Amino acid sequence: MTMLKVDVDYDAIAGNVATLRALAPTAKLMAVVKADAYGHGLLPSGRAARRGGADFLGVAQPSEAIALRDGGDEGRILTWLYGPEVPAADLLSRNIDVSAGSLAVLRAIVDASRAGHGTAAVHICVDTGLGREGVPMADLGSLLAAASAAQDEDLITIVGMWSHLAWADQPGHPTVDAQAENFRAALATAEELGLNVELAHLGNSACTLTRSDLHFDMVRPGIAIYGLPPVDDPEGDNFGLVAAMSVSSTLALVKELPGGHGVSYGHEYVTPQRTHVGLVSAGYADGVFRAAGGVAEVAVRGTRYPIAGRVCMDQFVLDLGPETEANTGDAVTLIGPGGPTARDWAMAVDTIDYEIVCRFGGLRPKTAE
Ligand SMILES: *Cc1c(COP(=O)(O)O)cnc(C)c1O
């Protein structure tokens, strides 16, 4: 049986939200809890974010928004990723804010409202340069005109306008200012049409932490609420944020091997001398990247060891050295205090820590709140 334990410190999430709120004092805060809260667990993370003072919870999928509401969340929730098949009736009847970045989606929302499911609170999504979601700048006027007409019929309320940055993790990148300029132009277009957009929002975690001039009415941090800021704190204090996820396993076996002995499939690692190896009960089926073999490290009793040889489906091996205190049953820290960070894993396997926590968290039951 494989053994990988994912522990989430929900008080850390609550504390991080409070810290981010204090860093964006003039704006509301939407805590982004999409993708099962980046692997941390949707409902308990949502509750923690509310404890920390989140004004909104934000999710990509309508099903996640519905799960939050049906799970007892009574605050404002926004969901943004869908086409015209959006289950608008289910969202409106639950008082969930919706995003519209195309005429087709707007129409679906208006139809549900006309059918009596509730007045939609709509955030217009504009593509200011990411080249992903949202109406292109050139078509914004016609989308706003249609939204305005629906608002005049009391079918929707245009509560927000939003966009998303492409290069926020490089705060000085010229596209950040270019997108901000487009966003301001989009807001001006709405104003010219006589629309009162109460919530303009643009900034993700990186923007929240580095560009206070672009906080507008609300910030939308995701990764930072889990304690993993995507930019370095110039003061070296992680912006006061605390990593919420720890990942651990155990040593299933410790044994001696002679020097020159191949380890794991393909013998990519060969013991340089007589040594002790430790068998860890976790593998790629648990989210340990196969590419981590030979590059990522884990900690046993406070000492770091690189993964020796290939990661297997539910196990991998460590070279614990000729003399070791480690024993069968010892805890192995993959991520957490005294061991590597999610960022360390990301650097080892050439990805971002977002993918690391989604992967580890997504495959395992989380600890209770
Ligand atoms: C994921 C996401 C965020 C949060 O991004 P982070 O980099 O995790 O802070 C904010 N807004 C939108 C639209 C997103 O998709």
Side-chain angles (χ1 to χ4, degrees):
M1 193 189 93
T2 63
M3 255 289 300
L4 191 81
K5 207 156 138 282
V6 175
D7 287 301
V8 178
D9 178 352
Y10 292 105
D11 290 337
I13 294 178
N16 292 338
V17 169
T19 298
L20 290 161
R21 273 192 61 120
L23 288 170
T26 61
K28 291 188 188 305
L29 184 144
M30 175 186 296
V32 176
V33 292
K34 67 192 182 196
D36 200 27
Y38 294 44
H40 293 69
L42 177 65
L43 294 181
S45 298
R47 285 193 287 269
R50 292 295 190 196
R51 284 207 303 284
D55 302 284
F56 267 80
L57 298 182
V59 286
Q61 307 287 345
S63 59
E64 301 171 298
I66 290 168
L68 282 169
R69 182 66 85 227
D70 293 355
D73 191 275
E74 294 176 351
R76 287 183 80 175
I77 301 171
L78 173 67
T79 172
W80 58 76
L81 187 64
Y82 32 77
E85 79 293 348
V86 57
D90 295 335
L91 297 174
L92 300 196
S93 62
R94 287 174 174 79
N95 233 338
I96 293 168
D97 287 28
V98 290
S99 167
S102 71
L103 277 172
V105 166
L106 179 68
R107 224 172 274 131
I109 291 165
V110 168
D111 287 350
S113 176
R114 207 186 289 284
H117 296 289
T119 306
V122 175
H123 300 237
I124 301 290
C125 178
V126 56
D127 186 353
T128 55
L130 176 60
R132 204 179 69 178
E133 69 267 301
V135 67
M137 290 293 288
D139 300 330
L140 176 65
S142 50
L143 180 62
L144 284 176
S148 175
Q151 179 164 264
D152 290 342
E153 281 189 75
D154 288 331
L155 295 169
I156 71 166
T157 308
I158 301 165
V159 295
M161 172 114 80
W162 71 280
S163 191
H164 195 47
L165 295 168
W167 285 90
D169 53 354
Q170 291 188 28
H173 197 278
T175 61
V176 177
D177 289 318
Q179 283 196 256
E181 197 174 309
N182 281 338
F183 191 54
R184 290 198 181 94
L187 291 168
T189 304
E191 205 176 308
E192 281 157 24
L193 287 167
L195 299 171
N196 171 31
V197 175
E198 171 201 330
L199 291 171
H201 46 107
L202 177 69
N204 54 7
S205 295
C207 172
T208 303
L209 294 168
T210 63
R211 291 295 302 258
S212 57
D213 57 321
L214 301 181
H215 287 173
F216 292 96
D217 302 309
M218 182 156 71
V219 290
R220 300 189 310 266
I223 196 75
I225 75 171
Y226 309 104
L228 305 172
V231 285
D232 288 327
D233 179 1
E235 290 170 29
D237 188 35
N238 209 39
F239 300 97
L241 303 167
V242 177
M245 184 185 286
S246 306
V247 180
S248 62
S249 186
T250 51
L251 287 177
L253 175 69
V254 176
K255 68 178 179 187
E256 201 176 298
L257 285 183
H261 200 296
V263 170
S264 192
Y265 292 132
H267 284 173
E268 278 177 19
Y269 183 78
V270 176
T271 56
Q273 58 193 339
R274 180 195 66 81
T275 191
H276 290 85
V277 292
L279 180 66
V280 183
S281 324
Y284 58 77
D286 306 289
V288 182
F289 281 67
R290 189 167 176 280
V295 285
E297 294 181 337
V298 300
V300 180
R301 296 182 181 230
T303 302
R304 299 255 202 132
Y305 301 95
I307 294 174
R310 282 192 199 151
V311 172
C312 309
M313 187 178 290
D314 40 25
Q315 49 196 308
F316 62 85
V317 179
L318 304 175
D319 183 346
L320 299 166
E323 310 303 329
T324 180
E325 307 267 285
N327 276 318
T328 300
D330 279 0
V332 178
T333 304
L334 283 79
I335 294 177
T341 60
R343 176 88 75 97
D344 292 333
W345 275 85
M347 294 199 314
V349 302
D350 194 22
T351 181
I352 51 176
D353 46 12
Y354 295 67
E355 188 179 9
I356 300 293
V357 289
C358 281
R359 172 90 79 112
F360 278 126
L363 296 173
R364 285 283 130 182
K366 261 61 80 186
T367 43
E369 202 169 347

